[in-house]
Amino acid sequence: MLPSLTTYSQAIEVMREGCYVRPTDDIDMAMITAMEKKTAMQGAGAVQRAAVLREIIECSGSFATLARNDREINIWNMNVVDKTDGNLPNGNVAKIDLDCVINHDASIGTMTVGHNLILAGDIMGVVTMWERSKRRSLTSWGGNSKTWTKVHKFTPWKSGVLHSPAEISKQSILRLCFLDRETFVSASKSGTIRVWDNIDALNTFEVYKKKNSHSMKITSDLVSGIQKLAPVEDPTTGELCLAFSVSSTDGHVMSMALYPRDPRKTVQDELVMFHVHNNTADEDESKSVDVDSIAVSEGFTSTNGDSFHPVVITGDSHGEIKTLKPEWKSVAIC
């Protein structure tokens, strides 16, 4: 059972999937590993006793939670309850403990996790990157060896320039999505997406300015979702590019690709839009319908099942679920 949060939970992200093993489960690597661990820690008869008492052998995993209008991200761990004292809190066979708290400078609007990293986007338009580390530093948080270190900040602002509250509000971060460890996409309340790349080339704790990113205003409404796609191939050049789809509340789903940086040139990576879908009402195709959320699934596209293509799933304000394939049709340079 998850301890109650003081405010509404805004986001939950899985950090480590872990495992759940019962003595009656089929024998697999998770079962073998859990049995070896339990035997080493509790003795040779521990697994047999668990089987007789029908106790779980292993329950592990970790996740992050973000409460609404909060400046903190909480990291939680799941573990098996120690039954040696006969105490089962609330009848649970597993427990969830707060591992550490990551404090942010401003209220966090959204977060995402991946590649041993956490991205936190705040209402000031700044994205902070945290990395899991076993070494302590002045910017580390956590009560054990698994600390989180603030490694970079990504800001749309120029140093020393004052901005009005309305301008700041428009830069509030609504969505974040990793494309790989070196690249992520952010979306602000202004309807602008921004791709930050080549992150591994940054120095230790560096503030990354917007001039080093690729940005594009895609909607006058709100960005409702960003989802990573499998890398796509330019049918003309054969170039393999990172890709993602973005949905908006004005009824569009746009798919974009990021051409790799040419080491022979000083120019930035090139961001292109290769597919646009307009979500329309079934009874009137001239009327756009808001896209409230999107997800991506990879479906097979050949009869023998040897190739696949990402399929975007959309949910709209009419309560309808639709699917589309973001195929490379034409290119617009962003």
Side-chain angles (χ1 to χ4, degrees), residues 3 7 36 53 68 85 105 126 158 165 185 195 208 222 231 236 251 253 267 271 292 316 319-320 332:
T7 58
E36 290 176 346
L53 298 175
R68 189 176 300 174
D85 57 359
D105 296 334
V126 177
K158 294 181 180 179
V185 187
V195 179
Y208 212 41
L222 297 176
T236 303
V253 178
V267 296
L271 181 65
D292 297 325
D316 64 31
E320 295 183 348

Side-chain angles (χ1 to χ4, degrees), residues 89-159:
N90 300 318
N92 292 324
V93 295
K95 60 180 179 177
I96 298 175
D97 297 318
L98 181 62
D99 182 58
C100 65
V101 178
I102 299 176
N103 294 295
H104 202 70
D105 296 334
S107 293
I108 304 170
T110 187
M111 69 169 179
T112 191
V113 303
H115 313 284
N116 228 28
L117 301 168
I118 294 177
L119 292 175
D122 65 29
I123 61 173
M124 304 295 289
V126 177
V127 178
T128 302
M129 175 179 285
W130 300 81
E131 182 176 28
R132 188 176 182 178
S133 171
K134 291 186 177 181
R135 295 184 300 171
R136 299 288 297 178
S137 75
L138 293 177
T139 55
S140 295
W141 301 88
N144 53 31
S145 61
K146 299 174 182 177
T147 60
W148 289 88
T149 302
K150 186 190 297 182
V151 288
H152 301 300
K153 278 189 175 182
F154 305 85
T155 176
W157 308 113
K158 294 181 180 179
S159 301

